[in-house]
Amino acid sequence: QVQLVQSGAEVKKPGASVKVSCKASGYTFAILVLHWVRQAPGQRLEWMGWINAANGNTKYSETFQGRVSISRDTSASTAYMELSSLRSEDTAVYYCAKNFLNAFDIWGQGTMVTVSS
Amino acid sequence: EIVMTQSPATLSVSPGERATLSCRASQSVSSNLAWYQQKPGQAPRLLIYGASTRATGIPARFSGSGSGTEFTLTISSLQSEDFAVYYCQQYNNWTFGQGTKVEIK
C-alpha cells in the first residue's frame, strides 16, 4: 500500500528557507501526482501546489507563487517542497498528499515548521 | 478563489445519534467536492469524493450529498471514533472549509 513519509520538524529564523521531503513507497513513484498542503495553528487547510512526478510539471497556489518550489527526485521516490522568505505566519504543519481523482487519498504524517527569531 | 463555508462550527452529538454537517461553496464546484476527517495530531483522512462516493474502507454510516454550491455530510449513527474535525474541500482549485468539530454531547 502507498505510504508517504515526511522529513522531521524544522525550526527556522525569519527570512530563511525550509525544504521538506516526502518519500513514497508501495507505489510506482513516476505515476504519482503529489500535493502539498499546510495547516497553521487554528487555521484551515491551505493548498500550496502539486507536482507530476512523471515529468516534473508543477502548479502553485497564487498565495505562494514566487516563494514556493516543488521538485522531485525520481531515483529516490521523493518529492520536495521548499518555502523561502519565511515569516512567523508560515509556522504550520506541512503535509504531502497523493492525488486521487483530484482529491487527496493518502497523506504524509506531516512536518512541523516553526519560524521564530 | 472559491470560498468554502462550513456550518456549524461545532456540533454536539450523543453516540448513536445522527450528525449532519453542511458545506457551501461561493460558486458552483459541480460535484468536485471531498470530505475529510481529522483527529488531533493526525493527518486528514479522505472520507468522500465526488460529493457522494465513499473512499476505500470508509464505513457505510458516512454519506455525502449535494452538487453545485450546497453539500452535506451525514454520519448516520455516531461511533466513539467519529468524534473529530471534518473538512470539506473543493477540487476545482483546491480550497478547504474552516472545519466542523463534532464533539460528544
Side-chain angles (χ1 to χ4, degrees):
Chain A
Q1 70 201 43
V2 183
Q3 193 174 12
L4 301 175
V5 178
Q6 299 182 219
S7 49
E10 302 263 12
V11 179
K12 296 291 183 181
K13 293 195 181 302
S17 297
V18 68
K19 192 170 187 176
V20 180
S21 68
C22 171
K23 183 173 176 61
S25 61
Y27 209 82
T28 302
F29 182 76
I31 65 172
L32 290 175
V33 172
L34 291 171
H35 296 263
W36 287 88
V37 177
R38 79 175 186 182
Q39 188 172 35
Q43 302 297 311
R44 68 182 69 195
L45 294 153
E46 189 172 26
W47 175 75
M48 301 179 71
W50 58 250
I51 186 164
N52 183 328
N55 55 24
N57 286 350
T58 55
K59 181 179 174 68
Y60 301 123
S61 165
E62 288 185 9
T63 302
F64 299 97
Q65 196 79 36
R67 279 211 304 146
V68 68
S69 177
I70 300 174
S71 58
R72 96 291 193 213
D73 179 348
T74 54
S75 67
S77 298
T78 300
Y80 304 90
M81 185 284 299
E82 184 169 21
L83 188 62
S84 61
S85 302
L86 289 169
R87 36 207 190 231
S88 59
E89 311 89 90
D90 294 318
T91 293
V93 178
Y94 289 77
Y95 294 101
C96 60
K98 173 182 161 290
N99 187 78
F100 173 71
L101 301 177
N102 287 330
F104 306 160
D105 67 336
I106 305 292
W107 294 65
Q109 83 277 18
T111 296
M112 182 71 212
V113 175
T114 302
V115 183
S116 174
S117 54
Chain B
E1 178 181 288
I2 300 173
V3 178
M4 306 301 290
T5 304
Q6 293 184 240
S7 61
T10 303
L11 188 60
S12 297
V13 186
S14 299
E17 288 188 342
R18 181 187 197 91
T20 302
L21 289 65
S22 296
C23 175
R24 174 177 292 177
S26 61
Q27 63 190 76
S28 177
V29 298
S30 186
S31 294
N32 297 325
L33 191 285
W35 289 94
Y36 298 85
Q37 176 194 69
Q38 188 178 32
K39 297 180 179 179
Q42 296 184 16
R45 173 193 180 198
L46 178 65
L47 299 175
I48 300 285
Y49 62 95
S52 61
T53 303
R54 276 189 304 277
T56 302
I58 302 303
R61 64 180 181 272
F62 291 92
S63 63
S65 64
S67 66
T69 62
E70 300 283 344
F71 301 89
T72 300
L73 175 69
T74 301
I75 311 171
S76 60
S77 176
L78 271 158
Q79 307 298 301
S80 58
E81 61 267 29
D82 300 335
F83 292 97
V85 179
Y86 292 83
Y87 293 96
C88 62
Q89 175 209 36
Q90 62 81 16
Y91 45 84
N92 283 356
N93 52 19
W94 302 289
T95 56
F96 292 84
Q98 80 279 22
T100 291
K101 181 180 180 181
V102 177
E103 64 176 24
I104 301 174
K105 186 174 182 180

